[in-house]
């Protein structure tokens, strides 16, 4: 889905989960820290494990993390 930058991450995240859930092919969704627990819970009700991928707080500067890189 492509939306304008003014659309809230949580709103579009919930909409995207609703769109992909009926196919049953998405089991896990990786999201960044911009998402709230409500999206995680919404995913759970749809059978999708939404995982918030956070950067390690001790890291500074640009450090590519394989999972986080896919999320960004």
């Amino acid at each position: 889905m492509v939306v304008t930058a003014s659309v809230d991450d949580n709103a579009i995240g919930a909409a995207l989960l609703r769109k992909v859930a009926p196919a049953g092919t998405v089991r896990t969704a990786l999201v960044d820290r911009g998402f709230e627990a409500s999206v995680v819970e919404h995913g759970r009700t749809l059978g999708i494990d939404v995982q918030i991928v956070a950067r390690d707080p001790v890291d500074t500067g640009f450090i590519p993390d394989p999972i986080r890189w896919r999320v960004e």
Side-chain angles (χ1 to χ4, degrees):
M1 296 176 76
V2 178
V3 297
T4 64
S6 61
V7 177
D8 181 68
D9 286 349
N10 293 291
I12 198 62
L16 182 58
L17 289 172
R18 281 192 303 276
K19 185 172 182 152
V20 300
T25 56
V26 176
R27 294 191 177 115
T28 304
L30 303 175
V31 299
D32 65 22
R33 289 183 34 209
F35 289 84
E36 298 173 353
S38 60
V39 175
V40 175
E41 181 57 35
H42 182 66
R44 188 175 296 121
T45 65
L46 297 171
I48 299 172
D49 177 25
V50 179
Q51 300 175 12
I52 298 175
V53 178
R55 178 181 176 159
D56 189 336
V58 298
D59 290 341
T60 59
F62 177 76
I63 300 173
D65 178 296
I67 293 176
R68 186 167 169 79
W69 186 259
R70 284 183 272 169
V71 172
E72 295 293 326

